Amino acid sequence: MSRAVTQAAAPRRGGGARETGTQNGGSFFARLLRDMRMNRYIYLMAIPVLAYFILFHYIPMGGAVIAFMDYVPAKGILASKWVGFDNFISFFTSFQFGRLLKNTILLSLLQLIWGFPLPILLALLINEVHSPRFKKGVQTISYMPHFISLVVICGIIQDFTSSEGVITQLFSLFGGPDSNLLLKPELFRTIYVASGVWQECGWGSIIYLSAMSAIDPGLYEAALIDGANRFKQLVHITIPCILPTIVILFIMRMGNVMSLGFEKVILLYNPNIYETADIISSYVYRRGLVEFDYSFSSAVGLFNSVINFALLVTVNRISSKVSEISLW
């Protein structure tokens, strides 16, 4: 009787295994369709985001081919002359290449050194504030500069650093120059980085405050019972808990080291300070939109993107080996 029960139960177990394999297996598209049916509203919300990236990021990549051509808009891509790597060689051998690369890297590194850790520090300080009213006030004041137009910000900087500006007058009281600060090449990087930190520091702290809000309060209670003060709780609980967020944002930041926006530079610089202010993106703007040299500017922009991609992959791989935290 026991053998009969065993023989009768065996097919059922095998059939169940096959059924489970069918449910968990199947083709990728079958599983995707099943997931789309289960989470259709989430996929519907993702459609505008996907459309934005496809239309404005992926489809325009096909236009990068003009970097290898002597592109003439009247002829189009198909009829324009193919020149290979001539545009890249022309850029690498130009006298401006070293200056542009140096200025871009220095500005990016200065922004990384000052602009990356300060939002973390601000978030840690705000998190330690016990008064809800004071905390909201500090957050509001620190967030506000982010919403001011870049044109307005640059206008304020130009007024404050003019010969009669507030910042210039304060510097002159301590022995500094009393002339227009934006006409001095050695001061451009300081003005650029300091104004950027002031504008984006509060906004950048939001994501760290969100990460801190997800920390289990029981960890702080257990540490308090063990005699840990606020500083020890900060070092041994808060910072380790937000470390994955810090690493991910650092990797993404490194992927944009060469992508300094040209808008702020163009609004602030002048021929007197090209030596320290001219960067790759502003040079691409001048050659592409002012001088109508589309092929050359595309070659420079493509070189910029390749460097960013290489940095992103390298830093991500190093992070995955050192801290086991990575984007993929």
Side-chain angles (χ1 to χ4, degrees), residues 99-107 189 274-276 278:
R99 185 184 70 183
L100 294 172
L101 189 63
K102 174 185 174 183
N103 291 341
T104 303
I105 293 176
L106 282 177
L107 268 183
R189 296 190 184 111
Y274 275 176
E275 178 185 347
T276 57
D278 200 16

Side-chain angles (χ1 to χ4, degrees), residues 72-318:
V72 179
K75 295 181 179 180
I77 292 178
L78 297 178
S80 296
K81 181 182 178 181
W82 184 268
V83 297
F85 291 95
D86 288 354
N87 291 317
F88 294 92
I89 295 173
S90 177
F91 175 59
F92 295 150
T93 56
S94 67
F95 73 95
Q96 294 178 324
F97 173 72
R99 185 184 70 183
L100 294 172
L101 189 63
K102 174 185 174 183
N103 291 341
T104 303
I105 293 176
L106 282 177
L107 268 183
S108 295
L109 290 179
L110 287 173
Q111 281 193 317
L112 187 66
I113 292 172
W114 293 102
F116 186 78
L118 286 180
I120 303 173
L121 179 61
L122 178 61
L124 292 172
L125 293 175
I126 293 176
N127 190 57
E128 296 298 320
V129 175
H130 297 288
S131 173
R133 181 175 297 180
F134 182 75
K135 181 183 293 187
K136 291 180 180 179
V138 172
Q139 287 177 300
T140 302
I141 294 172
S142 62
Y143 296 167
M144 284 178 63
H146 173 79
F147 299 98
I148 302 176
S149 170
L150 185 61
V151 177
V152 176
I153 292 291
C154 292
I156 293 173
I157 295 172
Q158 289 176 346
D159 288 339
F160 283 11
T161 57
S162 65
S163 57
E164 301 296 332
V166 176
I167 296 178
T168 304
Q169 295 301 315
L170 287 174
F171 277 8
S172 64
L173 293 176
F174 296 94
D178 57 355
S179 57
N180 193 326
L181 300 181
L182 281 177
L183 295 178
K184 299 185 178 300
E186 66 274 11
L187 297 178
F188 175 79
R189 296 190 184 111
T190 302
I191 295 172
Y192 184 95
V193 174
S195 60
V197 170
W198 167 74
Q199 187 178 11
E200 299 297 337
C201 183
W203 181 256
S205 67
I206 293 177
I207 191 167
Y208 300 110
L209 288 170
S210 301
M212 292 175 195
S213 65
I215 299 175
D216 184 6
L219 296 175
Y220 293 105
E221 295 174 2
L224 186 62
I225 293 174
D226 291 339
N229 55 27
R230 294 299 299 177
F231 180 76
K232 290 183 178 180
Q233 293 176 32
L234 176 70
V235 172
H236 297 288
I237 298 177
T238 306
I239 294 179
C241 286
I242 67 171
L243 186 60
T245 303
I246 296 174
V247 173
I248 292 297
L249 291 179
F250 179 78
I251 294 172
M252 297 176 66
R253 187 71 173 267
M254 288 300 297
N256 291 314
V257 164
M258 303 291 289
S259 297
L260 285 173
F262 66 88
E263 299 91 347
K264 185 176 180 180
V265 174
I266 290 175
L267 290 171
L268 290 179
Y269 78 168
N270 55 75
N272 293 327
I273 58 174
Y274 275 176
E275 178 185 347
T276 57
D278 200 16
I279 59 176
I280 291 178
S281 58
S282 62
Y283 182 67
V284 169
Y285 169 81
R286 289 202 312 274
R287 291 296 298 263
L289 298 180
V290 178
E291 301 178 15
F292 304 106
D293 194 348
Y294 302 114
S295 296
F296 186 86
S297 61
S298 297
V300 178
L302 183 59
F303 162 77
N304 217 24
S305 300
V306 169
I307 297 299
N308 279 334
F309 179 75
L311 286 172
L312 177 64
V313 173
T314 303
V315 174
N316 185 75
R317 180 170 296 182
I318 293 173

Side-chain angles (χ1 to χ4, degrees), residues 7-19:
Q7 292 174 358
R12 286 196 295 270
R13 288 197 297 268
R18 286 192 297 270
E19 184 179 355

